[in-house]
Amino acid sequence: MSRHEARIPVATLDAPVFAEPWQAEAFAMVVALHERGLFSWAEWAERLSTEVKRPEAATDGSDYYERWLAALERLLAEKGLAGHEEVDAVAAAWERAAHATPHGQPIVLENDPKRSSGL
């Protein structure tokens, strides 16, 4: 059977594109940064391709959005837009804010206990 004759299972068509909200957010960040001219689509494709070909990448593609995020972080660092330490610091602040935010409320960086205490 050729690839043109293969049928896509109906269940696949109903599956969400993103398994987690952070995946959609990472996708949107790349598109927004590209639209602002911070990198070309060719640069992005090259960086993402490098990430998905890394030996530690899942062969079944199950870590695709982890690779997407790693590609974004590396590209930001290469462009001098945000270093790994900066990305890690902001990620940690969001994590603290998430834990400090009451259930059902929007997570905002102002909820980070270290931020509000001036640390």
Side-chain angles (χ1 to χ4, degrees):
M1 172 186 313
S2 75
R3 65 185 174 96
H4 298 291
E5 296 170 329
R7 295 190 183 264
I8 299 171
V10 175
T12 303
L13 297 176
D14 293 333
V17 175
F18 304 105
E20 301 286 335
W22 72 265
Q23 296 171 346
E25 292 167 359
F27 183 90
M29 281 191 282
V30 168
V31 171
L33 293 171
H34 163 69
E35 288 176 348
R36 290 186 181 171
L38 297 175
F39 50 81
S40 70
W41 204 250
E43 288 175 300
W44 168 250
E46 182 179 330
R47 173 48 63 207
L48 180 58
S49 176
T50 298
E51 289 300 324
V52 297
K53 292 177 185 174
R54 288 191 179 278
E56 64 271 17
T59 56
D60 66 357
S62 60
D63 66 345
Y64 181 74
Y65 284 104
E66 284 87 353
R67 300 285 109 212
W68 184 281
L69 190 57
L72 176 57
E73 290 176 4
R74 287 182 194 272
L75 192 54
L76 291 174
E78 289 170 5
K79 295 279 188 178
L81 300 169
H84 296 293
E85 296 82 20
E86 293 168 291
V87 170
D88 289 345
V90 172
W94 277 109
E95 185 74 21
R96 289 187 304 268
H99 288 292
T101 300
H103 180 72
Q105 297 298 312
I107 300 169
V108 292
L109 277 177
E110 288 75 17
N111 292 349
D112 174 7
K114 286 192 175 184
R115 182 178 180 141
S116 61
S117 66
L119 298 176

